[in-house]
Amino acid sequence: QSAIFNFQSLLTVILLLICTCAYIRSLAPSLLDKNKTGYSLLNLCFWLFPLPGERKSPYVAVCCVVMAFSILFMQ
């Protein structure tokens, strides 16, 4: 099934997107800059996704561990 129709896969994709965008933003903040001219929906999404990863990092880390446990041992 695609990730859109499977809820666990959708959560996995969203969590990985949050972590990846937060990592990219920490390495190269100019790539995901909110002050760029010519906003597009994609730029806006990639600017918004790192915010939970940066502000609520303990909760995101716990979610990553729970996701890894469920993928490794429950599937």
Side-chain angles (χ1 to χ4, degrees), residues 5-71:
F5 299 116
N6 187 351
F7 185 68
Q8 183 177 1
S9 297
L10 179 66
L11 289 178
T12 303
V13 168
I14 291 172
L15 191 59
L16 288 174
L17 191 60
I18 288 171
C19 293
T20 303
C21 287
Y23 181 71
I24 290 172
R25 191 171 182 180
S26 69
L27 288 180
S30 63
L31 288 176
L32 300 175
D33 189 14
K34 73 172 183 170
N35 296 324
K36 281 185 179 178
T37 57
Y39 268 119
S40 70
L41 184 60
L42 192 61
N43 283 346
L44 186 63
C45 287
F46 284 127
W47 179 74
L48 289 175
F49 271 114
L51 295 179
E54 293 171 349
R55 295 182 182 167
K56 300 186 183 319
S57 60
Y59 299 115
V60 172
V62 168
C63 289
C64 286
V65 170
V66 169
M67 179 189 68
F69 180 80
S70 71
I71 289 174

